Amino acid sequence: MAVEPVMPKSWRLESKPHKFCPGCGHGIALKALGLAIDELGIQDRTVFGCDIGCSLLAWDFFNMDTVQTHHGRTTPVIYGVKRANPELICIAYMGDGGGYAIGAQHLVNAAARNELITVVLVNNTQYAMTGGQMAPTTLPGQKTETTPYGRDVLTAGYPMRGPEMIAEITPDGAYVARGTVARSRQLGNMLVRALENQLSGRGFSFVEVLATCPTNWRTNAQQTWSFLENTVENYYPVGELKIPLSDPEEEM
Ligand code: SF4
C-alpha cells in the first residue's frame, strides 16, 4: 500500500512537487518550518519573506502572505512588516550568502537590536544558485568553483560561524540555534521554540540550518549525507546556543 506523504497544512499544495533539485536540503527545512507553523496554529497571521538565491524558490511554498526581496534585504523587509503590524508573526528565510555576505549588516543589526522576528538561514557551505562558488561558510580546504584547490584560510579567511556570533551580540531574550536537515525532528523543535520566542515577545530568534546541496557538492546520495553528517556538522556543531532566561522549559 502506498504511503501518502505528510504535507504541512500551511503548505500551498498547488506548488508541489517543489522546484528544488533532488536531494536538496531546502525541502526538508521548509517542511520542518511548515510543521512548526502548523503546531503553533499561526498560519493566518504569519508573513514569510525569502531572499535571492535558491531560497527564493520558496516564494510560492506556503499558503501564507509571502514577499520575495532583493538580495540580502529579507531581514529589514521582514522587520519593517513586523514594526508596521506587531500582531503578525514574521519570518525571514535566506541562504548563507544572503545572511552572512550581502545581507550581513542587516542580520547583525537586527540581532543587536533584538528585533522581534525569526530568521531561518540555510547553510549549505557555498553559493548554490550561481553554480557553487565559495561563500562565507565554505569549509577550510573545501573545493568550490572559485576554490578549485580548496579554501585556503590564509588568503580567504576562516568560515563564518553565524549562530556563535549572533549569540554573542544579542541581549537576553534572544533564541539562537543551529539545526540540521539530517535530524528534522530536532530541527522542528528548534523552529517551534524560535517562533514561540517571537510569539511571547521575548526577542530575536535565529536558527541556522545545515543543509545538503548535492548539485554543487557533486555528490551521490551516500556521499551527500556523509559530507553533511561527518564533515559539515563536525565543523559547525548542532545545538541550541542561546535560550532566553525566561524560557519556561528552562525554569522547569
Ligand atoms: S543548487 Fe543546491 S541548494 Fe540550490 S536547489 Fe539545487 S541542491 Fe538545492
Side-chain angles (χ1 to χ4, degrees), residues 20-22 24-26 54 57 124 126 128-129 212-216:
F20 298 107
C21 307
C24 177
H26 274 285
C54 289
L57 297 174
N124 54 25
Q126 37 76 52
M129 183 166 266
T212 49
C213 178
T215 301
N216 289 308

Side-chain angles (χ1 to χ4, degrees), residues 3 49 76 211 240 247:
V3 178
E240 292 177 310
D247 190 297

Side-chain angles (χ1 to χ4, degrees), residues 2 32 42-43 45 48 50 93 99 101 104 153 165 168 186 208 248:
I42 54 174
Q43 177 181 352
R45 54 185 287 214
F48 177 80
C50 56
Y93 185 78
V153 295
M165 173 187 68
E168 285 293 320
Q186 179 195 46
E208 182 186 275

Side-chain angles (χ1 to χ4, degrees), residues 214-244:
T215 301
N216 289 308
W217 291 354
R218 291 165 170 71
T219 46
N220 64 26
Q222 191 175 25
Q223 293 164 338
T224 298
W225 287 101
S226 175
F227 184 63
L228 176 66
E229 294 186 286
N230 299 323
T231 304
V232 180
E233 290 183 22
N234 190 44
Y235 194 85
Y236 296 118
V238 170
E240 292 177 310
L241 287 90
K242 189 164 193 168
I243 301 171

